[in-house]
Amino acid sequence: MAELPETPLLDELEKGPWPSFVTEIKQAAEHHEEARDLLGQLERSYRERIGHWKHGGIVGVLGYGGGVIGRYSDLPDDFPGVSHFHTLRVNQPAGWFYTSKALRDICDIWEEHGSGLTNMHGSTGDIVLLGTSTPELEPTFKKLTEKGFDLGGSGSDVRTPSCCVGPARCEWACYDTLGLTYDLTMSYQDELHRPMFPYKWKFKMSGCPNDCVAAIARSDLSIIGTWRDEIVKDDAEVRKYADNGLDIFNDVVLNCPAKCMKWDGEKLEIDDEYCRKCMHCINAMPKALAPGKDRGATILIGSKAPIVEGALLSSVLVPFWKPEEPYEDLKDLVEAIWDVWSEEGKNRERVGEFIQRVGMGNFLEAIGLDPEPEMVAFPRENPYVFYDLSEDEDEDE
């Protein structure tokens, strides 16, 4: 194997206390030409301030329209190891639970057929296998399926559904995120593997309003656990928190966005009618407070990252839903949305942008859903809020 290229600019990214992707690429480069030439091309890109990737092209595995992201270098003569550098998305298990054997199997396959570089996990949720050539796609896919893995989504299809660990490890989970994720993945195999929509569609499942998979900011359909009765409260445990030094008034009550709590130094009162289910008080006093017992989920629609029209947070579509197998009511709603969006949506228009264009009222009428007061767009529609410290400093002066 040839020596590693000189990479003075990339070397800067290895300095400091944090792990560096450059170090990982260098380790892989000891055994893989692809990783070695990746270092060379990245160094060139940093020096010239130009990305040298050509994204796209029709490339994939037989019978699938998604799951493989075609990528080519525009410097194939200089860096032949990355002349093809395709990425495979592999459908992850719900909640990202693995055995060590499963992880070793994946790594062994990728060491044999790819660059050895992985991303565990991509923002969609998939296992991401970074960098292989076109002739290696089918052998890689064959080996993965023999081990029980399938490709995930890419392109204008259902992207790989993902969820938090839910009831497997979290006492706050208000529904079975793992079961719903598995059911949706198996039910929509055709939509997942064969692009058929105006643009991508993401399901993300969070078991409680802590929203550990950031569903409200990144998915076209967010299913976030909630409850509709009173917060479960243990007054004795509340007093223990106070006795142990927690400033309940300043750290809990004053931080309640609904201002629905009172603390008189002895007893905590909660007006649950005004509770916004933000989880702050529960997170602050987990032994004293818990989500209510009448648990379910809120279904929200339309979030996305800022690509064309800017960032969007999801809007409420169904304020409260009881997830129960086989989830036919949810699937009927989803398929009604797909029918309207597929018929009327523009190319590369996310469903949230589609709703902005046609109006929520027209959209609800088209899918047969009655309006609800909770379907509010303002003021919480953009997750990118910037706070200028200089303003505070000026006021202090």
Side-chain angles (χ1 to χ4, degrees):
M1 184 69 70
E3 292 184 3
L4 298 185
E6 293 185 3
T7 54
L9 295 177
L10 290 179
D11 294 346
E12 291 294 316
L13 299 178
E14 294 186 278
K15 298 176 181 178
W18 303 106
S20 171
F21 72 93
V22 175
T23 303
E24 300 300 320
I25 297 175
K26 287 180 178 179
Q27 289 178 356
E30 297 289 344
H31 310 284
H32 294 276
E33 179 190 8
E34 298 94 336
R36 188 184 71 247
D37 280 356
L38 177 62
L39 284 171
Q41 179 165 306
L42 279 175
E43 181 71 18
R44 176 86 67 89
S45 293
Y46 276 48
R47 186 172 68 249
E48 297 177 353
R49 301 184 182 183
I50 297 173
H52 285 290
W53 293 114
K54 298 189 298 182
H55 185 288
I58 304 301
V59 62
V61 299
L62 186 63
Y64 282 35
V68 179
I69 302 168
R71 188 168 284 115
Y72 304 88
S73 169
D74 67 3
L75 302 170
D77 295 333
D78 294 340
F79 306 106
V82 293
S83 58
H84 299 189
F85 201 73
H86 308 315
T87 291
L88 278 76
R89 286 181 175 159
V90 180
N91 196 328
Q92 80 283 358
W96 300 289
F97 284 99
Y98 300 93
T99 63
S100 57
K101 182 181 184 306
L103 290 173
R104 290 180 184 278
D105 286 341
I106 292 169
C107 291
D108 288 345
I109 291 169
W110 200 233
E111 285 288 326
E112 181 181 357
H113 295 287
S115 68
L117 297 171
T118 66
N119 180 353
M120 305 288 284
H121 298 81
S123 59
T124 294
D126 303 276
I127 305 162
V128 177
L129 305 181
L130 290 159
T132 193
S133 62
T134 303
E136 294 294 341
L137 292 175
E138 288 291 350
T140 305
F141 178 58
K142 182 175 184 295
K143 294 278 183 67
L144 287 169
T145 55
E146 288 172 353
K147 295 296 183 180
F149 287 94
D150 195 5
L151 296 189
S154 70
S156 299
D157 60 11
V158 170
R159 297 299 180 87
T160 315
S162 66
C163 65
C164 67
V165 297
R169 294 199 63 183
C170 182
E171 60 188 315
W172 304 149
C174 294
Y175 74 98
D176 184 0
T177 56
L178 307 166
L180 179 56
T181 299
Y182 179 77
D183 188 281
L184 292 175
T185 302
M186 300 307 291
S187 297
Y188 293 124
Q189 284 288 292
D190 199 41
E191 291 82 359
L192 200 155
H193 292 307
R194 296 166 187 89
M196 58 182 69
F197 297 139
Y199 202 19
K200 67 184 82 168
W201 174 279
K202 295 183 179 181
F203 290 107
K204 289 190 184 294
M205 277 60 70
S206 287
C208 79
N210 279 327
D211 194 12
C212 290
V213 293
I216 198 171
R218 301 191 300 162
S219 61
D220 299 275
L221 201 78
S222 320
I223 304 170
I224 300 177
T226 189
W227 64 95
R228 57 182 174 184
D229 57 346
E230 296 182 352
I231 291 175
V232 176
K233 178 162 60 79
D234 186 325
D235 289 324
E237 289 293 339
V238 173
R239 286 192 294 273
K240 285 183 182 179
Y241 276 104
D243 293 342
N244 288 328
L246 177 65
D247 187 340
I248 293 177
F249 180 74
N250 284 302
D251 295 340
V252 180
V253 173
L254 290 186
N255 284 323
C256 173
K259 306 304 178 189
C260 69
M261 309 179 77
K262 292 182 180 179
W263 169 249
D264 61 7
E266 294 293 330
K267 186 175 178 61
L268 180 69
E269 294 183 10
I270 303 174
D271 188 347
D272 287 271
E273 185 177 353
Y274 291 94
C275 176
R276 296 181 187 171
K277 313 296 191 294
C278 75
M279 295 290 292
H280 172 71
C281 62
I282 295 173
N283 293 332
M285 299 188 291
K287 292 183 178 180
L289 303 175
K293 296 180 180 179
D294 186 9
R295 300 181 177 187
T298 298
I299 302 173
L300 304 99
I301 192 166
S303 65
K304 70 176 194 69
I307 298 175
V308 179
E309 296 292 337
L312 290 174
L313 286 181
S314 296
S315 298
V316 172
L317 191 64
V318 178
F320 191 82
W321 170 61
K322 278 282 191 181
E324 295 175 354
E325 293 185 77
Y327 313 109
E328 290 301 330
D329 48 352
L330 174 66
K331 294 171 188 174
D332 289 343
L333 174 62
V334 167
E335 289 162 25
I337 295 169
W338 286 349
D339 286 345
V340 174
W341 177 49
S342 295
E343 183 70 25
E344 304 293 342
K346 296 180 180 180
N347 185 41
R348 295 181 70 83
E349 182 177 53
R350 295 287 286 272
V351 72
E353 295 168 321
F354 171 68
I355 293 170
Q356 279 191 319
R357 179 167 61 86
V358 304
M360 179 61 90
N362 292 328
F363 174 74
L364 293 175
E365 183 179 357
I367 65 174
L369 202 61
D370 293 330
E372 297 277 358
E374 292 87 351
M375 295 172 180
V376 59
F378 296 95
R380 295 174 295 161
E381 73 166 6
N382 194 321
Y384 294 88
V385 178
F386 298 95
Y387 180 67
D388 188 355
L389 289 176
S390 63
E391 293 179 4
D392 256 8
E393 293 168 358
D394 292 341
E395 290 176 6
D396 293 340
E397 293 173 1

